[in-house]
Amino acid sequence: MIKQYLSVVALLVCAAVSAEEQSHADSLTAAQRDSIAAHYLGRVVSEGEAEECNLPPVMTVGQGGLTPGETIYAFDNPERRGKQPWMAAAEAFGINMLVLGFDRYALDAEFARVTFSTMRHNVKTGFVWDNDQFSTNLFAHPYHGGLYFNAARSNGMNFWESVPYAFCGSLMWETLCETEPPAINDLIATTVGGVCIGEVTSRISDLIYDDRQRGFGRFAREFLGALVCPIKALNRIVSGDAWRVRTSYYKYHDYERLPVSFNLSAGYRYLADDNAMFRGESNPYVNVNLTYGDPFDESTNKPYDYFTADITFGLSSNQPLISGVHLLGQLWSAPVYTGNDMQAEFGLFQHFNYYDSQPVKDGTSMVPFRISEAASVGPGVIYKFPQIGNLTHLEQRVFISGILLGGSLSDYYNVIDRDYNMGSGYSAKATTIMEFGRYGRFTFGADYYRIYTWKGYEGKDLDTVDPLYLNAQGDKGNAQLLVLTPGLHLSVNDKLGIDVSASYYLRDTHYKYYDDVSANTFTAQIGLAWKMF
């Protein structure tokens, strides 16, 4: 027993501080050292006694010295599958067939009764602006596009190579999988918004998977990963990765190269009815906030090596389950200033923003707010200022983007399921972040959206025109929405804190053929926040 123990110790010491690798030992992380130890311990247990340090090394030494991580991260696995474009195409096709079959045979939906005649008719008719409800057009369709995108992403394609799959999957659905005419807004939202949601969900799922795990812990990770990114989970099942246990190449994210901050908060939110202080409703909420990567790290400059995600769920039968989705992904960046403890980074960013609400229970019939930035790209600058006294971190972010497709609440348009206008325009956003060490942080955001509705329905009799072929963006005009959001986080300890925040919504809509409308309202919320990592 003592001899076996000494053999194990000798192996661990030999692996960690061999004569060739001693100079590089400090570059190893704790996780990597643990991986080495686990490897040699497993060999000793399985092979019995070991008298020499001649087992194959876990870490490799190249011309530049020790190369860490090669046996830790799945993306370094030499046995991983390469690019499989045809499998990705088959999966995108299968997604459409599965959804079409469900709509046709489970829901018995009229629009799913497609024939070759309806396909020819759709191609001949061309694209129109459809009248689906707000959540369908401006969230569900982008989410669907993320499935097409991840069919490619999880089959080895990179970010840009995966974009055409979102476009082609949407084009197929719009022209061949519905009896209704194809919608141009769906094609834009599914493609561009799908790229954003698809890349974010793909990378978040990589934070979850760990092929070392077994038992219920492994099941929980695989199940959660499937909820976040279903198509990647499907490919893990097909390849066997979903249950294969590895002692090497087991992690899918490098936290040292791409740091992650993940916060979960829950509490109560007050939604005011028409800006009334004491006429509104209170509902429980859950908020997920994620910061992925470092915008100032020039060694990580691939699309979405830096992104932020902020998602709010409303736990009320009267309000939408998803009341807010705010995604920001860096497509490219370059430093513009570094010095005197100050950094400034200029980049090109993709935006996805979605605000949704329903009329307050027992209040007026007014919808508090509803606006979307489903397809949007533009430049931005992120400044990091020097530490000043107790202010340990001061950061300013400024973004301007062109909105290819957005949506805004309408006071007049109401056709089928649509009570909002669609169009294009621009947005401008500014966020200030102030951190006070162990005491907490203060943030203030100001987001401005301007959306123009170009194609109206003037000159058409809504009583005689088939609404499926109305082909209108909505009420001709333009909408402005300013959202002001102050937030305070008070730290209780390193993990737990109290979040107090509010959002003030100011809407001003100009109509060409109707009276203009201005409306203001606000939300306020308080909850407990837990920093998971």
Side-chain angles (χ1 to χ4, degrees):
M1 182 69 180
I2 295 176
K3 185 178 180 181
Q4 290 177 339
Y5 173 79
L6 293 176
S7 298
V8 172
V9 172
L11 284 169
L12 296 180
V13 172
C14 188
V17 293
S18 64
E20 292 181 350
E21 299 177 359
Q22 176 63 48
S23 62
H24 304 289
D26 292 339
S27 67
L28 297 178
T29 66
Q32 292 162 355
R33 288 192 294 269
D34 290 345
S35 177
I36 297 173
H39 173 81
Y40 284 107
L41 181 60
R43 291 293 298 272
V44 170
V45 171
S46 62
E47 298 180 14
E49 299 179 6
E51 297 180 356
E52 296 181 340
C53 289
N54 58 2
L55 295 176
V58 177
M59 312 297 282
T60 61
V61 180
Q63 295 180 351
L66 190 65
T67 304
E70 286 193 359
T71 60
I72 296 178
Y73 302 110
F75 46 75
D76 287 325
N77 191 344
E79 297 179 357
R80 65 176 177 168
R81 297 185 304 166
K83 296 179 180 180
Q84 301 185 78
W86 293 110
M87 177 64 74
E91 289 181 3
F93 178 84
I95 290 170
N96 282 341
M97 291 298 97
L98 180 64
V99 176
L100 177 61
F102 180 81
D103 291 339
R104 172 66 179 86
Y105 297 106
L107 302 181
D108 195 27
E110 184 65 30
F111 69 82
R113 299 177 181 273
V114 297
T115 64
F116 287 112
S117 176
T118 63
M119 296 177 188
R120 287 194 300 269
H121 176 74
N122 283 349
V123 173
K124 183 179 179 180
T125 300
F127 286 88
V128 301
W129 296 85
D130 74 9
N131 292 292
D132 289 339
Q133 62 184 3
F134 185 78
S135 60
T136 299
N137 270 346
L138 298 169
F139 178 76
H141 279 295
Y143 178 82
H144 199 166
L147 301 181
Y148 300 134
F149 180 87
N150 278 324
R153 205 71 172 94
S154 59
N155 274 293
M157 260 64 75
N158 64 29
F159 177 86
W160 296 112
E161 291 168 341
S162 301
V163 174
Y165 288 84
F167 174 80
C168 292
S170 178
L171 183 64
M172 173 190 170
W173 178 267
E174 293 299 321
T175 56
L176 306 180
C177 299
E178 290 183 308
T179 61
E180 299 176 356
I184 183 62
N185 52 281
D186 289 348
L187 186 63
I188 297 172
T190 305
T191 302
V192 184
V195 168
C196 182
I197 292 179
E199 184 67 11
V200 167
T201 54
S202 176
R203 287 182 178 251
I204 291 177
S205 68
D206 283 344
L207 304 177
I208 300 170
Y209 292 122
D210 187 336
D211 291 347
R212 292 174 300 175
Q213 303 297 317
R214 301 171 182 266
F216 179 77
R218 179 60 177 270
F219 171 79
R221 285 179 179 271
E222 296 294 330
F223 181 76
L224 183 57
L227 291 179
V228 173
C229 189
I231 303 303
K232 180 180 289 186
L234 173 65
N235 281 308
R236 285 179 62 82
I237 293 173
V238 170
S239 67
D241 288 340
W243 49 80
R244 184 175 293 117
V245 176
R246 293 186 173 94
T247 57
S248 60
Y249 307 111
Y250 50 80
K251 285 195 173 184
Y252 292 81
H253 180 78
D254 184 349
Y255 283 91
E256 291 190 0
R257 189 175 67 91
L258 295 167
V260 176
S261 174
F262 182 84
N263 296 276
L264 182 68
S265 63
Y268 272 86
R269 182 184 72 160
Y270 176 78
L271 174 61
D273 179 27
D274 195 18
N275 207 33
M277 180 66 71
F278 301 106
R279 189 180 68 247
E281 63 176 291
S282 297
N283 301 301
Y285 78 91
V286 174
N287 177 264
V288 176
N289 184 276
L290 175 72
T291 300
Y292 180 106
D294 181 358
F296 300 100
D297 185 354
E298 291 307 306
S299 66
T300 56
N301 200 18
K302 294 180 181 178
Y304 281 77
D305 273 355
Y306 170 75
F307 72 83
T308 61
D310 188 272
I311 305 171
T312 302
F313 300 91
L315 307 181
S316 165
S317 60
N318 189 54
Q319 293 297 323
L321 174 63
I322 300 176
S323 60
V325 179
H326 309 290
L327 308 177
L328 172 73
Q330 179 180 282
L331 300 175
W332 167 87
S333 70
V336 293
Y337 179 81
T338 301
N340 299 323
D341 295 325
M342 177 179 171
Q343 292 178 274
E345 192 84 5
F346 174 83
L348 186 66
F349 298 84
Q350 183 175 5
H351 302 255
F352 182 93
N353 287 283
Y354 173 87
Y355 301 85
D356 193 14
S357 67
Q358 293 291 342
V360 170
K361 187 177 182 180
D362 299 326
T364 65
S365 59
M366 178 176 290
V367 177
F369 51 82
R370 187 174 292 161
I371 200 164
S372 165
E373 186 180 25
S376 180
V377 177
V381 180
I382 303 177
Y383 297 89
K384 185 165 66 174
F385 296 92
Q387 178 177 340
I388 304 174
N390 292 327
L391 185 60
T392 57
H393 182 85
L394 175 60
E395 190 173 300
Q396 181 66 51
R397 304 175 181 182
V398 179
F399 305 100
I400 300 174
S401 63
I403 301 175
L404 180 61
L405 176 69
S408 61
L409 182 67
S410 172
D411 301 280
Y412 303 102
Y413 189 87
N414 198 328
V415 178
I416 308 182
D417 294 322
R418 183 146 73 93
D419 59 355
Y420 61 95
N421 299 320
M422 290 185 285
S424 57
Y426 63 91
S427 69
K429 308 177 186 73
T431 303
T432 303
I433 303 173
M434 306 171 68
E435 296 184 357
F436 300 91
R438 60 186 179 88
Y439 299 105
R441 66 179 177 273
F442 173 79
T443 61
F444 184 83
D447 296 356
Y448 175 79
Y449 304 90
R450 187 73 174 266
I451 297 177
Y452 296 86
T453 301
W454 311 99
K455 186 177 180 61
Y457 50 92
E458 59 277 1
K460 297 180 180 179
D461 185 355
L462 298 184
D463 293 330
T464 59
V465 174
D466 184 345
L468 293 178
Y469 296 87
L470 177 61
N471 194 19
Q473 291 180 318
D475 300 303
K476 199 168 184 179
N478 65 85
Q480 303 177 68
L481 180 68
L482 176 63
V483 185
L484 303 175
T485 307
L488 179 63
H489 175 84
L490 301 174
S491 298
V492 176
N493 53 43
D494 291 342
K495 293 292 186 180
L496 192 64
I498 300 173
D499 278 348
V500 181
S501 65
S503 294
Y504 195 54
Y505 303 85
L506 301 92
R507 178 173 67 93
D508 186 7
T509 306
H510 169 71
Y511 298 98
K512 185 171 183 178
Y513 299 105
Y514 298 101
D515 293 336
D516 295 350
V517 175
S518 296
N520 304 331
T521 195
F522 68 92
T523 62
Q525 59 189 41
I526 182 170
L528 288 176
W530 179 36
K531 183 177 181 180
M532 299 186 68
F533 50 83

